[in-house]
Amino acid sequence: MSLNAPARPGAGHPVSRNGARRGATLAFAAQGVSVAAVYTTVPAVTEHLNLAPLLTTTLMVAVALMAGGGSFLGLAAIRRAGPVATIRGAVLTAAATLVLIGWAPDETTVICAYILFGLAVGALDVGVNARAAAIERAYGRSIFGSFYMAWSVGGVVAALLTAGAARLEWPVAVGLSVQACTVLLLAVCIRTHALPSSSAGPPDTVAQLPLGRRLWTRLIPFGLVLLVVYVVDSTVSAWSAVYLRQTLAASLTVAPLAYAAYQAGTVVGRAATDRLVQRFGAVAVVRTAALLVAGALAGMAAAPSWPFAVLAAGAVGLGASVLAPLCLASAARLRPAASEAVLARLNLFNYVGVITGGAVSGLLGSTGQFRLAYAAPAALAVLLLAAARHFTQQPPDSANGSCAVGPGTVAL
């Protein structure tokens, strides 16, 4: 089933843009909780199982690699079972893997758990982003930022839960089980809604058509931006807790706060994204965000103590928060009739960025060079200024077959 396939009459799903938006928002929040739960517990899992630093780095890279594969598994599942089953199945799998990571008795088990988590979060990623693109088309205005704000809120909640569990001296298994229950609660609250169709909609086969070389060329600027964004994101998300713990001598209770501050910054930024785009335009917003990210990363690299690093991480989140949703929204508009296929391919840049950032940061950190791990992405962030001109709110022209029709009715 394609995300763009018209729903069958009488299928029993209420037609509601607002209901569909609420369902997608909950799915984004569940993903944010899942990812934050994994990243903020890396130090605790490492110490609990006495993992070697190189193995920890390898596991984080493996999660990103598996997420790349999971993205295409998610695309196949959407076409076969529909977006609702795909998203719910991925959320339930992610929750199960959180429990498995926490209760893993040895290295082999935890490796398998992290790999399974990567597959689940990759499938969930393509599902929620394609769904968000369809909902934004139905609304006819920028709302992508609000979905990512929910993702960030979930991340903040999960990071604070990790810090609270450490404060109470709970075992990592108990803490991750609580996180898994939070994810399950969000999954239970998701309801099925169909989007009202604004046109006859494309046939089911449209999403299966080749994207074409010209579209790939137009995707490159967005892919490069996404790559840099996720180099930054993985460097802060996957390793900020370890950075505070090892380099700035923070306790296990304090270590997750950099991630919490980072996600809190993204909440603020994404809450304002849609309004800023409507007022100033996407190009100006992207350029300002790029400069803020570069400056904040430099501050994080030079942090003399953990409170300064936490504040800098929050500023990084504030700037980086707008880039991914604007990138995905702009790319999805290139071929609305096959947005899930476009986003699955664009996600390759996402995971290359995660792998690059996570691997390089982990390797530098294992040799005591975490400060350099934050200084290097600052230079990359400046390069985003050159790609900002590609971020427009104009719909693609129909001459290249990108956007001749409106969205069909989809369910979530």
Side-chain angles (χ1 to χ4, degrees), residues 28-43 60 98 114 117 121 150-163 175-176 179 183 233 236-238 240-241 256 259-260 262-263:
F28 270 92
Q31 186 184 22
V33 171
S34 301
V35 172
V38 166
Y39 283 154
T40 58
T41 55
V42 168
M60 294 300 99
L98 292 180
Y114 276 120
F117 176 80
V121 81
W151 195 102
S152 298
V153 170
V156 172
V157 170
L160 293 178
L161 284 174
T162 299
L176 280 171
Q179 306 272 28
V183 174
D233 181 79
V236 178
S237 298
S240 61
Y259 185 93
Y262 173 73
Q263 291 299 341

Side-chain angles (χ1 to χ4, degrees), residues 39 57 60-61 64 226-240 349-365 370 372-374 376-377 380:
Y39 283 154
T57 300
M60 294 300 99
V61 173
L226 208 61
L227 189 153
V228 174
V229 167
Y230 280 98
V231 165
V232 173
D233 181 79
S234 65
T235 300
V236 178
S237 298
W239 299 109
S240 61
F349 293 92
N350 170 344
Y351 298 121
V352 169
V354 171
I355 292 167
T356 302
V360 172
S361 299
L363 290 173
L364 288 174
F370 260 127
L372 181 58
Y374 288 101
L380 290 176

Side-chain angles (χ1 to χ4, degrees), residues 337-357:
S339 60
E340 69 271 31
V342 171
L343 293 175
R345 285 153 178 77
L346 188 63
N347 269 348
L348 291 177
F349 293 92
N350 170 344
Y351 298 121
V352 169
V354 171
I355 292 167
T356 302

Side-chain angles (χ1 to χ4, degrees), residues 229-307:
V229 167
Y230 280 98
V231 165
V232 173
D233 181 79
S234 65
T235 300
V236 178
S237 298
W239 299 109
S240 61
V242 181
Y243 174 49
L244 263 65
R245 177 72 170 161
Q246 293 183 1
T247 304
L248 301 179
S251 67
L252 282 175
T253 302
V254 168
L257 295 184
Y259 185 93
Y262 173 73
Q263 291 299 341
T266 65
V267 170
V268 175
R270 286 166 177 169
T273 295
D274 298 323
R275 283 174 289 179
L276 289 173
V277 169
Q278 291 166 15
R279 181 170 181 178
F280 300 106
V283 174
V285 172
V286 169
R287 286 174 177 163
T288 303
L291 291 174
L292 178 58
V293 169
L297 281 171
M300 198 169 179
S305 60
W306 69 259

Side-chain angles (χ1 to χ4, degrees), residues 16-263:
S16 169
R17 290 188 312 176
N18 294 335
R21 186 175 182 178
R22 286 193 297 270
T25 298
L26 290 171
F28 270 92
Q31 186 184 22
V33 171
S34 301
V35 172
V38 166
Y39 283 154
T40 58
T41 55
V42 168
V45 172
T46 299
E47 294 181 17
H48 173 64
L49 294 177
N50 196 26
L51 303 178
L54 184 57
L55 177 58
T56 302
T57 300
T58 303
L59 285 175
M60 294 300 99
V61 173
V63 169
L65 284 171
M66 293 301 101
S71 180
F72 285 94
L73 287 177
L75 174 61
I78 287 170
R79 288 172 171 169
R80 183 175 182 84
V84 178
T86 299
I87 292 173
R88 285 178 177 160
V91 169
L92 292 175
T93 303
T97 56
L98 292 180
V99 176
L100 187 57
I101 290 170
W103 292 93
D106 50 42
E107 289 184 1
T108 302
T109 306
V110 82
I111 288 171
C112 293
Y114 276 120
I115 288 174
L116 183 58
F117 176 80
L119 290 171
V121 81
L124 181 57
D125 200 30
V126 70
V128 294
N129 280 304
R131 179 58 174 159
I135 295 171
E136 185 176 78
R137 292 198 304 274
Y139 272 80
R141 58 184 172 85
S142 176
I143 61 169
F144 228 97
S146 66
F147 295 121
Y148 272 80
M149 182 181 70
W151 195 102
S152 298
V153 170
V156 172
V157 170
L160 293 178
L161 284 174
T162 299
R167 179 72 176 176
L168 296 172
E169 298 183 349
W170 288 355
V172 65
V174 175
L176 280 171
S177 296
V178 172
Q179 306 272 28
C181 289
T182 305
V183 174
L184 287 175
L185 179 62
L186 290 169
V188 168
C189 293
I190 296 175
R191 295 290 181 267
T192 299
H193 290 274
L195 286 176
S197 179
S198 60
S199 69
D204 292 355
T205 56
V206 170
Q208 307 286 343
L209 295 176
L211 296 181
R213 187 173 301 176
R214 182 177 177 183
L215 183 64
W216 274 109
T217 301
R218 298 177 68 184
L219 273 178
I220 289 175
F222 303 116
L224 293 178
V225 171
L226 208 61
L227 189 153
V228 174
V229 167
Y230 280 98
V231 165
V232 173
D233 181 79
S234 65
T235 300
V236 178
S237 298
W239 299 109
S240 61
V242 181
Y243 174 49
L244 263 65
R245 177 72 170 161
Q246 293 183 1
T247 304
L248 301 179
S251 67
L252 282 175
T253 302
V254 168
L257 295 184
Y259 185 93
Y262 173 73
Q263 291 299 341

